[in-house]
Amino acid sequence: MTSTDAKQTTDGYSDERYWDEYHEIALAKSLDRAIKLETWLDSFRPLLEGLKGEAILDLGCGGGHDAVALSKSGFRLSGCDISGIAVKEATRLAQDRSQDVDFIQHDIATPLPYSDGQFSGVICNLTLHMFPPTIAKRIVNEVRRCLLPGGLFAFHVNATDDLPFRRKLQPPVRALDNGMYCFGLGQTMRFFSKSDCRKLMADWEIALLEPVQMLSPDGEIVKCAWRCAAHRR
């Protein structure tokens, strides 16, 4: 078994060990990803504006920048992530910025530890594409359960046009089943077409579905994604 294989679950997605190591490296290098994350979070703010004071879940919260930023803006935030190291860092960030955010460690591929209709909104930035199609659908179904009727689910996923950029950034690349790829030291990833997004959200009322490009300072494309927002029917 290779180190790459060891860092995947039998379900074909990167497990806690991979993500703990990922966040350990980021912290050791003092990488502040807040500026990058604002690229994704700020696009959701107009959609969330009517939910001020309501309960919002950050699904796959990582180091907590999105959740803490929304908490400072007047939302009631919870967040969960598979990495205990990420959750510890998120908790530290919330304390440092005097924000009351409920962060827990949890693998979102398993049933979410929240009540039916507990949230008015759920955000999920660049996380759903880490899972095979059947698991991603299961996660979306859990999100629906945890949302109030009419609640908002807003997320970004990698687009099919992003695959060439990931190949250059994270070699070597190995194709897995179900349209998944394994990159570098074990990160799993899937790339969505517009029809993939519509299929994933077939039972929802889609309010927004648009392509997004992240540009380098000199104007070169460095990432391609889909931005989607939908309401629970």
Side-chain angles (χ1 to χ4, degrees), residues 172-184:
V173 181
R174 183 164 58 93
L176 305 175
D177 294 333
N178 298 318
M180 296 287 291
Y181 294 84
C182 185
F183 292 84

Side-chain angles (χ1 to χ4, degrees), residues 131-148:
F131 300 94
T134 54
I135 295 179
K137 187 66 174 181
R138 193 164 73 210
I139 294 170
V140 170
N141 289 339
E142 274 292 281
V143 169
R144 176 193 283 113
R145 179 185 65 77
C146 296
L147 275 174
L148 289 167

